[in-house]
Amino acid sequence: MPLLVDTSVWSLAFRRNGQVDRPEVKRLASALTGGESILVTGLILQELLQGFRGAKAHQSIIERFHALPMLSAEREDHIQAAGLRNDCRRRGVQIGTVDALLAQLCLRHELTLLTTDDDFTRIAAASNLKIWT
């Protein structure tokens, strides 16, 4: 199943002192070298660019992401993400707007989410979101 790789994993992979021992980073490396389908979104790219300083780091990220297919949210994704967020809230799970949209994109495109963010684990418990474990 294709992977959507969350900012949390990319951030660890790009750091100079990268935590390459993390299973999620190893899974990303395996998927990249194995030619698996990895997708990203503009939100993930933006979050990464906001988190790294310097023109060299920015250019490196932009170049690396240029080779990956990018998902764009459609109007219906935003509508469904709002519904997902409301459903989660009714179940006692608070999630952010961006996380709800990323989860919705995974649901619509039948993607597995590769993340280290525990918020997505809570979303998965309250929905059909698939998280790599």
Side-chain angles (χ1 to χ4, degrees):
M1 178 175 275
L3 291 173
L4 179 69
V5 180
D6 182 41
T7 307
S8 61
V9 177
W10 286 114
S11 181
L12 290 172
F14 283 146
R15 297 211 182 272
R16 271 187 241 147
N17 61 351
Q19 297 180 13
V20 293
D21 289 342
R22 292 286 306 246
E24 297 86 358
V25 175
K26 288 181 179 180
R27 177 67 181 104
L28 172 59
S30 171
L32 287 168
T33 59
E36 292 180 54
S37 182
I38 298 172
L39 296 104
V40 296
T41 68
L43 289 169
I44 292 169
L45 175 59
Q46 181 180 340
E47 285 180 331
L48 274 173
L49 291 172
Q50 291 170 175
F52 284 87
R53 293 185 194 160
K56 188 174 179 180
H58 278 234
Q59 192 57 38
S60 175
I61 291 168
I62 291 168
E63 287 173 6
R64 291 176 185 197
F65 270 57
H66 186 71
L68 299 174
M70 188 166 292
L71 289 176
S72 294
E74 296 176 6
R75 179 185 311 263
E76 189 62 26
D77 291 313
H78 292 281
I79 294 167
Q80 293 298 320
L84 174 62
R85 188 167 187 258
N86 291 339
D87 288 346
C88 285
R89 187 175 50 223
R90 280 191 288 278
R91 295 175 184 194
V93 177
Q94 296 295 323
I95 63 174
T97 301
V98 171
D99 289 353
L101 183 58
L102 293 177
Q104 170 53 33
L105 288 171
C106 287
L107 291 167
R108 177 166 68 100
H109 294 281
E110 298 180 352
L111 305 173
T112 297
L113 183 64
L114 182 59
T115 186
T116 62
D117 186 339
D118 288 335
D119 289 342
F120 288 108
T121 303
R122 289 187 280 281
I123 296 169
S127 71
N128 292 325
L129 177 64
K130 293 179 183 83
I131 304 268
W132 181 85
T133 55

